[in-house]
Amino acid sequence: MEALNEFRELVKKAKAYIYALQLIGWDSNTEAPRGSFPRRAEMVGILSSELFKLQTGQRTVEVINELFEQKDALEPLVQREIKKAKKDLDKIIKIPENEFVEYQKLLQLSQSSWEEAKEKSDFSLFKDDLVKIVEYNRKFVSYYGIDDEPYNILLDDYEEGMTMKEFDQFFDVLRTDLVPFVKEVLSAKKKENDDFMTAFFNKEGQQKFCDYLIDVMAFDRSRGVMKKSVHPFTWNTSPDDVRFTTRYLENLMFSSIFAAIHELGHATYEQQISREFDDTLLNSGTSMGIHESQSRFYENVIGRSKAFWETHYPKLQSIFKEELKDVSLEDFYRAANKVEASFIRVEADELTYALHIMMRYTIEKKLFSGEIEVEQLPQLWNKMSEEYLGITPTNDAEGVLQDVHWSAGLLGYFPTYALGSAYAAQFYNTMKKELDIDNLVRNNKISEINAWLKEKIHKYGASKSPKELLLEVTNEEFNPKYYVEYLKEKYTEIFLK
Amino acid sequence: MEALNEFRELVKKAKAYIYALQLIGWDSNTEAPRGSFPRRAEMVGILSSELFKLQTGQRTVEVINELFEQKDALEPLVQREIKKAKKDLDKIIKIPENEFVEYQKLLQLSQSSWEEAKEKSDFSLFKDDLVKIVEYNRKFVSYYGIDDEPYNILLDDYEEGMTMKEFDQFFDVLRTDLVPFVKEVLSAKKKENDDFMTAFFNKEGQQKFCDYLIDVMAFDRSRGVMKKSVHPFTWNTSPDDVRFTTRYLENLMFSSIFAAIHELGHATYEQQISREFDDTLLNSGTSMGIHESQSRFYENVIGRSKAFWETHYPKLQSIFKEELKDVSLEDFYRAANKVEASFIRVEADELTYALHIMMRYTIEKKLFSGEIEVEQLPQLWNKMSEEYLGITPTNDAEGVLQDVHWSAGLLGYFPTYALGSAYAAQFYNTMKKELDIDNLVRNNKISEINAWLKEKIHKYGASKSPKELLLEVTNEEFNPKYYVEYLKEKYTEIFLK
């Protein structure tokens, strides 16, 4: 088929531009010198504009439309790919080019205004840009001409098929079943030997242990790289080139360890995607929620388990002999699972984490229903923080300004974080029927867990939707009860017995 | 002028592609995982082909030709730029596209065949590819239709305006004046306390010292990066992004130190080029020879001077207390300047280095005059090694196969290495009349040496030809006597007194 060949060529060419742009991004976030940024911005501008021309060019539009019309004659995988391409194209070509360009520029500026606002803890410095970002998103969504609530359209960008209705049900379950339990755990706290959590652990030792974790998690070094950056992230262009970062805070040793395990979860997903998708639009994780399920599973279910630390705590102790000599395995394990109401989402523990997300989801929902406006955010934030976590931020930096997402135009993204944790618990419920997970962890056979994940989830890339995947792996639609059960069981065992 | 604006746009767009391709190269040479290479090759293929289309497209050809015809009406700098563009274009468009593509593919393959041949020390594994590379170069040169000897045309690619006639004169001076002196130094060797040169020095300490050298050489960290790679190199996209690498061999500590200083010489040149050339074709060093003069000046004239080690040896000793406790400053200085006939060019000392280059130049000259063919190279190499250095390689790996250049199609490049050292001596002769170099080195004021280099050489980028630059800075045309004098004075002082 002529059009399909042409489509393949276009996709491949676009991938080359994306590869270049991604690498520039990786470089910027890990090592490019500060002084190079203005020049880099110009170069990125030119390359992005070439890519935009390619992706929205007349011939591209014709080819995608032609294939979309004949989609029933295509193989299922190609059909899914064409639908995906058509969906993205329909959105992007409905935005007037000048508004698209203006919005991109705004996002460059808002990055700096947010940084400054956060540094000075002054929401007013970021407010005007955020007003514009929300305005653009409301406008863009209206251009699409999709007959749905604006916030639903945004939610679907990050988690295919998820709507407010489903998220509301999910968060209602958490509100009803989890929030009282969290309060119980918080009030049951006893004296712990956990001062070491904020003691000094040098970077070199932390790096050594993170490097050790690469092999523990059976990550393929010949197709991957670990590096450091200010904010940990995973980066990939194909299963043969998957990189991740962690960060080393010398007074927060857990930060590097759990960031590394978390990112290794994302990275292993990407490494295990089938090569057959290399030249298609299906060669990456299928959604933010499924991706987060893999990183959270690694970080929390495996990385904070007793079996894991029984196996690997001796190694950590051998690196930090002095620092850990008075910290027993039990102390260490309890500290790794410490529950505490805190302001900052990225530092939150496994149990209170979802509460941070619920706040953000509720706020975004109200923003897009028009119930509130941007200027009310700081007050609303503080009020909800008191309501959900029982604490009130003392300033905007530890409140409404803490996350980068809104300044980057990521609206509708947050709920996938909590969803990912819940997906992870549901996958885990299935996995533990088929694998003796603790035993594999204890015997350094995480490669067998990876093999299960590959077979059930990873290899499919984006060829299955999140809902299909969940149903096929667990024989059930999304069900948050597994998440609540998992948390209750684990934290009862640790802190309520 | 319409055409000039269009030319600027084309140059800028080409620069964006080159930026992306360069960054991919930097990444490949410093950290990309091995497994990512096949995919990367595909992506590079697509981006290179887009760039090729841009650089040889009909409109590009028209614009450059139009500007070239009207060149007398252009400002001198623009005139130089257009002449440069026209010269490159005339070459590239005369090569049939299929032959160009075939040659690029050959260079990919020859890279591997050379690596394998070197590893197995068997020239026959690389011979056929080298025959083809030489054949292509002979053919391409004939396509250009330039009325000159083939090898002269290649020489001019790397060193504008230099011909066999001039190189012959240069090497004749070395043969007459330097070779007997080298023999004298070699035979005057006495017992040195230099076993530490091959003793163990851990990477961490070496890295710490190289990092210290960045500040010693007053390199601007906000516009630069130091990293490690198998073969040290310098990389730049603009004065605001200049990076270099060194390598850490735990049993050859000098290797990392002098590679770092050498690359810092290249890198400082690139950092100090005037911003006015950013969007032009003149925004890089003017020739391989001038570039090498800067790195050799840093490495040998400054980096191996007594003043330098009087100032910085205590720092190195503080890092390697045990390892250097019995090595006096004098021992260290003599070792840093140790003279020895050796097989490997990249490990050769300052004094014998030029002999390695003379061999290669003579061989390349004979190849392009048709006096010899590729299959005779190993025998010729060994014969010349005996003649120039008094030693015969025991195998091809330490002989004819040692350098990567020929496998990468770099023919006519080698002589610029020796030329660079000679340029450096000529520049140095002028500089020392104007600056008290030793005093600046001793007082940690290398920034003042850099300021001189910027004003006299660096800031001009490629806006002046090497010959213009040399004449304007030193008030004299190229004169190899300064090189011979510099070497004789320095090595007489160290080893013949």
Side-chain angles (χ1 to χ4, degrees), chain A residues 12 17 26-27 42 243, chain B residues 12 17 27 31 42 243:
Chain A
K12 194 143 190 185
Y17 285 96
W26 167 257
D27 180 66
E42 284 185 76
R243 311 182 190 188
Chain B
K12 193 142 191 185
Y17 285 96
D27 180 66
E31 74 176 45
E42 285 186 75
R243 313 183 189 188

